[in-house]
C-alpha cells in the first residue's frame, strides 16, 4: 500500500509560473498526494489559479492567508499536512513527473528518514541549462547521525534547501521555519539532518529550479542578508553541543556567508561602519577554519584574507567592478 505524501507549495505573486508548478505536481507518477497550496496574500491572480485547480482535483487544499513570508507559509502547510511524509516545492519552480516516486522509492526501500535528489536549472521558458549526458543514477545511503551530519556539511549532494527532499513527517514534530528571516533553510535544515539516523541520496536531477530574470541574486544588500551569518553562527553553536567534530566546518561556513555579505555590500556601495566592524570581527575569529577548509576556492580565500586585512579596500574595489 502506498503512503500518503503531503506536498507543500508556498505561493506569493508568481502567476506567470504557478500553473506549470501545480501541473508538475498533479501529474506525478506517484498519485497518493495531499497537495497543499498556501497562498501567502498574493496580490496577483495566484489565489484564483489555486482555487481553480482545487475545483478540478480533490487532492488539492488551498489555504488563503495574510502575507507572512516564506517561512510562515511553509509552517502553515506543515500544520495542515496529514501525510506520513512531506516535501516542499517553491511555486516558481517545477518537478520532474517522477520526482516524488523517486524520492519515495529511495526512502522506503532503504528505510531511511530522508531522501534527497539533485536539481536541474531551467530558464523562465523551461529551457534546461545544465543537462548533460544522462548518467547512471548513483545512490548512496548514510547511516548514523554523525555520518549524516558530516556528509551534509562537507558534500554538495545534500544542499541546504528545503526542496528536493522527502522527509518523514515526524521530523517536523518540534521544528518549524523561522519567521521573518532570510535564509530560512540555513536556520533549519541542519536541525532536520540532526534528527536523521539514515539518509538516502540519489544523483538524479528531479527538481527543476527556475532562474528568473528578475532575480537580484548577489546584486543587492540589506540588513536582512546578515541573517545568513546569524544562521551559521547558530549552526556552529549546535555543532559545539551535539557534533563537536564538525565545529571547524561550521566555523568555515560562517566566513563563507561573511564573504557573500561583503560582496553584496560592495556591489551597492554600502560602507556602513557598524556592518563593517561586525564582519571584520568575524573574520578575525573564524578565518583560520575557512583557510584550512578544502571545500573553498583559492580566490574565495584570498577575498577573505583581503577583507580581514582591509575591508574598506575590498568594498571599494567590488563597487568599481562591472559584470
Amino acid at each position: 500500500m502506498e503512503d500518503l505524501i503531503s506536498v507543500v507549495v508556498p505561493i506569493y505573486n508568481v502567476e506567470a509560473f504557478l500553473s506549470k508548478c501545480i501541473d508538475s505536481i498533479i501529474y506525478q507518477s506517484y498519485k497518493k498526494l495531499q497537495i497543499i497550496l498556501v497562498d501567502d496574500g498574493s496580490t496577483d491572480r495566484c489565489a484564483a489559479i489555486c482555487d481553480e485547480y482545487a475545483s478540478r482535483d480533490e487532492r488539492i487544499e488551498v489555504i488563503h492567508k495574510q502575507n507572512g513570508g516564506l517561512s510562515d507559509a511553509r509552517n502553515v502547510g506543515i500544520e495542515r499536512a496529514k501525510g506520513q511524509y512531506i516535501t516542499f516545492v517553491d511555486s516558481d519552480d517545477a518537478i520532474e513527473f517522477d520526482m516524488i516516486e523517486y524520492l519515495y522509492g529511495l526512502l522506503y526501500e532503504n528505510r531511511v528518514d530522508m531522501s534527497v535528489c539533485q536539481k536541474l536549472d531551467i530558464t523562465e521558458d523551461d529551457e534546461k541549462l545544465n543537462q548533460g549526458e544522462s548518467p547512471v543514477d548513483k545512490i548512496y545511503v548514510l547511516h548514523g547521525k554523525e555520518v549524516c551530519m558530516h556528509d551534509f556539511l562537507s558534500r554538495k549532494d545534500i544542499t541546504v534547501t528545503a526542496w528536493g527532499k522527502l522527509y518523514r513527517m515526524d521530523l517536523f514534530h518540534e521544528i518549524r521555519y523561522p519567521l521573518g528571516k532570510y535564509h530560512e533553510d540555513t536556520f533549519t535544515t541542519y536541525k532536520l539532518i540532526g534528527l536523521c539516523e539514515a539518509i538516502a541520496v540519489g544523483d538524479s536531477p528531479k527538481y527543476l529550479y527556475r532562474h528568473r530574470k528578475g532575480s537580484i541574486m548577489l546584486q543587492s544588500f540589506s540588513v536582512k542578508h546578515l541573517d545568513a551569518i546569524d544562521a551559521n553562527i547558530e549552526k556552529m553553536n549546535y555543532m559545539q553541543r551535539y557534533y563537536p567534530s564538525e565545529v571547524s566546518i561550521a566555523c568555515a561556513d560562517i566566513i563563507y556567508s561573511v564573504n557573500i555579505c561583503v560582496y553584496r555590500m560592495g556591489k551597492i556601495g554600502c560602507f556602513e561602519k557598524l556592518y563593517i566592524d561586525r564582519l571584520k570581527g568575524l573574520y578575525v575569529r573564524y578565518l583560520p577554519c575557512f583557510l584550512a577548509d578544502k571545500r573553498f576556492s583559492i580566490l574565495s580565500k584570498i577575498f577573505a584574507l583581503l577583507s580581514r586585512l582591509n575591508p574598506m579596500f575590498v568594498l571599494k574595489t567590488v563597487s568599481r567592478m562591472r559584470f
Side-chain angles (χ1 to χ4, degrees):
M1 173 182 279
E2 292 182 331
D3 292 304
L4 179 65
I5 294 176
S6 297
V7 185
V8 175
V9 186
I11 298 163
Y12 182 72
N13 288 0
V14 288
E15 63 174 299
F17 308 106
L18 183 56
S19 291
K20 292 178 180 179
C21 176
I22 299 174
D23 284 341
S24 74
I25 298 170
I26 64 176
Y27 295 117
Q28 284 289 295
S29 57
Y30 192 97
K31 302 299 182 184
K32 193 170 182 181
L33 303 176
Q34 176 196 22
I35 303 169
I36 305 171
L37 306 180
V38 185
D39 168 32
D40 191 35
S42 298
T43 58
D44 59 5
R45 292 192 61 256
C46 283
I49 293 171
C50 289
D51 291 340
E52 180 183 347
Y53 272 95
S55 70
R56 303 192 328 236
D57 192 322
E58 64 182 7
R59 299 174 299 171
I60 294 178
E61 302 175 22
V62 180
I63 301 171
H64 298 292
K65 58 181 288 296
Q66 291 185 342
N67 180 251
L70 177 58
S71 288
D72 189 44
R74 280 184 185 160
N75 291 343
V76 168
I78 292 169
E79 295 294 334
R80 183 70 66 91
K82 300 182 179 69
Q84 287 79 28
Y85 305 99
I86 187 169
T87 190
F88 301 94
V89 181
D90 284 356
S91 52
D92 52 351
D93 296 332
I95 57 179
E96 295 282 17
F97 78 98
D98 61 344
M99 187 195 85
I100 293 176
E101 181 180 16
Y102 177 80
L103 289 173
Y104 179 73
L106 288 177
L107 193 148
Y108 184 80
E109 292 169 11
N110 295 288
R111 295 293 189 266
V112 297
D113 305 304
M114 179 190 301
S115 57
V116 180
C117 68
Q118 307 309 311
K119 74 177 175 72
L120 184 66
D121 297 311
I122 61 174
T123 67
E124 289 188 350
D125 300 320
D126 301 309
E127 178 184 354
K128 294 179 178 180
L129 296 174
N130 56 348
Q131 186 177 32
E133 296 182 5
S134 298
V136 176
D137 184 29
K138 296 180 181 178
I139 296 167
Y140 65 93
V141 181
L142 306 168
H143 293 284
K145 287 188 174 183
E146 289 77 13
V147 173
C148 290
M149 184 60 74
H150 180 74
D151 195 86
F152 167 65
L153 292 175
S154 62
R155 295 176 63 103
K156 296 181 179 178
D157 293 339
I158 307 178
T159 66
V160 73
T161 57
W163 43 257
K165 301 173 178 66
L166 183 65
Y167 310 83
R168 268 196 8 249
M169 188 65 220
D170 59 4
L171 294 180
F172 287 92
H173 179 65
E174 295 182 351
I175 293 178
R176 293 294 184 271
Y177 290 91
L179 300 181
K181 297 287 188 181
Y182 273 26
H183 306 281
E184 58 285 323
D185 296 343
T186 307
F187 279 97
T188 309
T189 300
Y190 71 87
K191 298 174 186 176
L192 296 166
I193 298 289
L195 297 176
C196 292
E197 294 286 353
I199 299 173
V201 182
D203 271 355
S204 289
K206 300 293 186 181
Y207 189 92
L208 305 178
Y209 179 78
R210 192 180 306 280
H211 289 261
R212 296 166 58 184
K213 294 176 182 177
S215 176
I216 58 177
M217 297 299 287
L218 294 178
Q219 306 304 315
S220 67
F221 174 78
S222 77
V223 66
K224 290 186 176 182
H225 288 113
L226 298 175
D227 286 349
I229 297 172
D230 294 334
N232 278 302
I233 290 174
E234 285 189 13
K235 183 177 73 175
M236 181 205 59
N237 291 332
Y238 179 93
M239 298 306 152
Q240 285 180 328
R241 183 173 181 181
Y242 298 108
Y243 297 92
S245 63
E246 308 303 321
V247 169
S248 63
I249 295 179
C251 289
D253 286 342
I254 294 173
I255 296 303
Y256 174 76
S257 60
V258 172
N259 269 359
I260 292 176
C261 284
V262 170
Y263 180 84
R264 285 182 180 270
M265 289 171 62
K267 286 299 295 180
I268 67 163
C270 174
F271 306 115
E272 175 62 49
K273 186 177 185 302
L274 181 65
Y275 302 156
I276 294 172
D277 287 345
R278 185 191 178 197
L279 298 178
K280 186 172 182 179
L282 293 169
Y283 279 122
V284 169
R285 186 168 183 179
Y286 300 114
L287 183 58
C289 291
F290 184 78
L291 297 178
D293 198 309
K294 295 180 180 179
R295 293 175 300 160
F296 303 108
S297 69
I298 294 297
L299 285 177
S300 66
K301 292 177 180 180
I302 293 172
F303 185 93
L305 275 169
L306 291 174
S307 298
R308 157 71 173 86
L309 295 171
N310 194 334
M312 187 61 71
F313 168 78
V314 173
L315 289 169
K316 290 182 177 179
T317 300
V318 172
S319 71
R320 292 191 293 266
M321 296 170 68
R322 296 292 180 264
F323 297 92

